[in-house]
Amino acid sequence: MTTSAGIALALALASAALTAPAAGAAGSSAPALDWQKCGPAGLRQECATLSVPLDYAEPDGRRVPLAVSRILSDRPEARRGVLLVVPGGPGGSGVQRLSAKGEALGKELGGAYDLVAFDPRGVGGSMKADCGLADDDRRLVNLRSWPAADGSIDASVERSRRTAEACARNGGAELRSLTTANQVRDLDRLRAALGEEKVSVWGVSYGTYVTAQYAQKFPHRTDRLVLDSSADPNPRTVAQGWLRGMARGAEDRFPDFAAWAAHPDRAKDGLRLADRAEDVRPLVLDLAARLDREPKPSTTAGVPLTGNLLRQALQMALYSDSQFEGLARLIQQAAAPAGTPAGTPVLPPALSGPMPGSDAAVTVGVICNDVKWRGSVRSYERAVVADRAAYPLTAGMPANITPCSFWKGGPVEKPTRITDEGPSNILMIQSLRDPATPHSAGLKMREALGAKARLVSVDHGGHGMYLGNGNACGDRTVTRFLLTGERPATDVDC
C-alpha cells in the first residue's frame, strides 16, 4: 500500500500534470497514430491506439492503450478543425458513439470537421479494470442499488460493502486510474497526438462534465464546445447529486410516455395501455407493486421480472421516445395472464444478465474515485424513505447507498470546481424533460459557467438532444454554432 506521504506527493504531482501543457503538444514530437480501417461498411471510419501514462504523476512509468477512432472530413476545402465526440456514462464508448452518429454528424456539418472519439479507460478497446464481482453483483438492477420491495436497504448495504471490498482487493492501479481528471488529461493527449492546437468538443451526459472540466483546465486548447444534457457540477457531490437527480427526472419525463401510451393511435398496434394519460401512472405503479410481491417468470431462464426490474426498464426507456414501444410491450406482458405467450415478459438485453466485469468496474470506479460520497447508513435509510414517498416511480433508488460509501482510499484527487473563468465559447443544450439530467440540474451547470456559456432549452423529452431526441430549432442552433461560432445573444427556448 502507498504511504499517506506518498499519496500526498502523488496528488500534488498529478495536479501539476493536469494544469501543465501536455507533453507532445502540437508542434512537438507527438506520437503518431497508426490509423486502420474499422467500423460499419461505408462509413470511412478508422481506428488507432493512443498510448498514455497509467499514472500522470509518473509520466515515464507504465503506459496503457486507449482505442481511438476518426472519420476524416470528405471536403478538405471546408474543413476547419477537429470535433471530439465525448460519450456519457461513465462507461460509454466514444468509438461506438462515433459509429452510431458519424454519418448524421458528417451530413449535418458538411465536412467542416474531422470527427474523432476515444474509448475512455475501462471501456471498449481501451485499458480494462476488473473488480472480480460475482454475477449477481454485476447486474444493472443491483449496481443501481434499488431498495427491497418493502423499502429496506439492508441488502443494498451488504452488496455495496462487498463490492467496494472486491474492488479494493482486485482493481489495482487500473481501477484507481478511472477518474474524470484522467479522462481530461487523456483527451488533451489525444489532441496533441492529432497535431491540433485547439479542438472543438461535443460532450453528452457525463461527457458534458468531462468537457466542462477540459474547458476549466485547458481553456487555451478549446475551440467550440457543446454541452448536451448537463448535470450539476457541484464538486462536493458530483455523481451522488447526479443520481439523486434521476428521481426528479423520471417525474418530469413520465407524462410524455403516459400521453404516448394512451393515444388512440396506439390501439392500431395493440399497445394502448389506458384510455386516458392520467391512468397510465397508477397502472405502472400498481403493476410494479404486484411484481414486488410475486415476480413473474420471463423468457430469460432464472431471471424473473420483478418490480425493480420493471422500474429499471422504465427508467431506461424514458431516455428516448424510440424506447416507448418496447416498454409498453413489457408492461402488457407483465400484466397478461401467466403461462401464455403474451404473458411471458421479454426482458431488455441490459436486464437479462450480468454486465461484463470491466463494464461493472468502470460504472462504479469513476464515480467512487472522483469524490467522497456523504452520509451514514442511517441517513441513507431516512433518505430512501423520503424519496420513495416523493418520487414513487424510482422507489428510492436515486437516494440509496452505493459502493462509494465504503470505497477504499477515498477520492484519488480533489475535484475541480467549474467556474466562469475562460473564453466564452460554450453552448449548452438541455431537454425540459430529461429523465437522467433534469433541466433543473442543467441550470446548475449553466450557473457555474456564467458568461462562458449560453443555454438552449428544448421543449422535448429525453436524454441527449443534438441529432437525437431534439427538435429542428435545437439542432439548427447547435449546428450554426459549430459551423460559424454564432451563439444566441442570451439563453433561448426551442
Side-chain angles (χ1 to χ4, degrees):
M1 297 293 291
T2 308
T3 65
S4 58
I7 292 173
L9 177 59
L11 293 182
L13 291 172
S15 177
L18 183 55
T19 55
S28 66
S29 56
L33 294 170
D34 181 17
W35 297 102
Q36 303 292 329
K37 180 75 176 112
C38 68
L43 192 57
R44 298 182 299 104
Q45 190 170 358
E46 298 175 299
C47 292
T49 300
L50 174 69
S51 175
V52 298
L54 174 66
D55 183 351
Y56 277 90
E58 299 179 2
D60 297 324
R62 179 184 165 194
R63 303 184 73 81
V64 294
L66 300 182
V68 180
S69 187
R70 73 178 182 183
I71 301 173
L72 292 175
S73 167
D74 58 357
R75 295 180 60 211
E77 73 281 2
R79 182 189 182 278
R80 67 168 308 274
V82 164
L83 177 66
L84 294 176
V85 178
V86 179
S93 165
V95 173
Q96 291 182 7
R97 184 162 183 81
L98 187 60
S99 298
K101 291 291 186 180
E103 184 175 2
L105 268 176
K107 289 181 179 178
E108 186 74 7
L109 299 176
Y113 293 93
D114 294 339
L115 308 175
V116 181
F118 73 101
D119 285 347
R121 299 174 187 227
V123 177
S126 294
M127 175 216 82
K128 297 292 180 62
D130 197 330
C131 292
L133 302 178
D135 285 359
D136 196 51
D137 290 342
R138 289 187 280 111
R139 296 179 63 212
L140 180 59
V141 73
N142 291 329
L143 284 170
R144 280 284 175 90
S145 286
W146 290 89
D150 62 358
S152 167
I153 71 168
D154 291 347
S156 299
V157 171
E158 292 179 9
R159 181 175 288 110
S160 293
R161 182 180 285 110
R162 182 168 66 244
T163 298
E165 291 172 350
C167 287
R169 184 170 59 250
N170 302 317
E174 292 85 357
L175 182 75
R176 290 294 278 171
S177 81
L178 303 181
T179 67
T180 299
N182 274 341
Q183 188 168 340
V184 169
R185 297 178 178 108
D186 293 343
L187 192 155
D188 199 60
R189 285 297 177 100
L190 175 58
R191 173 206 58 77
L194 294 169
E196 298 290 328
E197 291 286 349
K198 293 185 176 184
V199 287
S200 296
V201 186
W202 172 33
V204 182
S205 190
Y206 165 69
T208 65
Y209 182 62
V210 175
T211 304
Q213 292 272 8
Y214 188 71
Q216 191 70 35
K217 289 297 183 181
F218 298 99
H220 57 298
R221 300 300 189 191
T222 62
D223 188 6
R224 297 168 185 172
L225 308 180
V226 176
L227 307 188
D228 185 342
S229 305
S230 303
D232 186 353
N234 183 344
R236 284 178 54 84
T237 56
V238 192
Q240 187 174 14
W242 305 341
L243 185 62
R244 291 286 181 97
M246 287 184 174
R248 176 73 265 164
E251 294 291 337
D252 291 346
R253 174 64 163 151
F254 188 84
D256 290 338
F257 172 70
W260 181 93
H263 196 281
D265 285 353
R266 301 289 83 75
K268 303 173 185 176
D269 305 320
L271 293 175
R272 196 178 189 191
L273 298 182
D275 292 335
R276 303 182 306 166
E278 55 265 36
D279 294 332
V280 176
R281 180 188 176 94
L283 181 155
V284 171
L285 291 175
D286 289 348
L287 181 58
R290 282 162 45 196
L291 291 168
D292 282 338
R293 296 189 296 270
E294 188 176 352
K296 192 173 189 181
S298 75
T299 56
T300 303
V303 185
L305 179 62
T306 63
N308 281 339
L309 271 178
L310 181 64
R311 296 180 185 103
Q312 182 61 63
L314 167 65
Q315 200 274 330
M316 292 161 52
L318 294 179
Y319 275 48
S320 172
D321 290 3
S322 65
Q323 303 300 312
F324 286 177
E325 180 178 339
L327 176 62
R329 291 192 187 281
L330 181 63
I331 290 170
Q332 287 184 328
Q333 293 161 357
T340 65
T344 305
V346 180
L347 300 181
L351 302 182
S352 297
M355 286 185 179
S358 57
D359 290 355
V362 74
T363 296
V364 297
V366 176
I367 63 174
C368 298
N369 283 332
D370 267 5
V371 67
K372 177 179 175 60
W373 285 50
R374 303 174 185 279
S376 63
V377 171
R378 179 63 184 139
S379 72
Y380 279 104
E381 290 175 339
R382 294 192 297 267
V384 165
V385 170
D387 215 57
R388 285 168 67 86
Y391 305 109
L393 289 171
T394 47
M397 178 274 291
N400 200 6
I401 201 164
T402 73
C404 301
S405 293
F406 304 101
W407 205 245
K408 309 301 181 182
V412 173
E413 55 193 282
K414 184 178 180 180
T416 298
R417 179 176 295 278
I418 303 300
T419 74
D420 59 359
E421 299 172 357
S424 183
N425 61 352
I426 298 175
L427 181 67
M428 296 177 58
I429 185 166
Q430 196 89 14
S431 166
L432 291 181
R433 300 181 299 282
D434 189 317
T437 56
H439 191 264
S440 54
L443 293 177
K444 296 292 187 181
M445 177 71 86
R446 175 68 185 89
E447 180 182 1
L449 292 170
K452 289 200 299 191
R454 303 287 187 275
L455 172 63
V456 181
S457 297
V458 180
D459 187 6
H460 200 286
H463 184 61
M465 288 292 99
Y466 184 50
L467 304 183
N469 285 306
N471 60 16
C473 168
D475 289 349
R476 185 170 56 248
T477 305
V478 173
T479 297
R480 183 187 304 119
F481 170 63
L482 288 173
L483 291 179
T484 69
E486 178 186 346
R487 295 182 312 179
T490 60
D491 294 351
V492 298
D493 297 326
C494 277

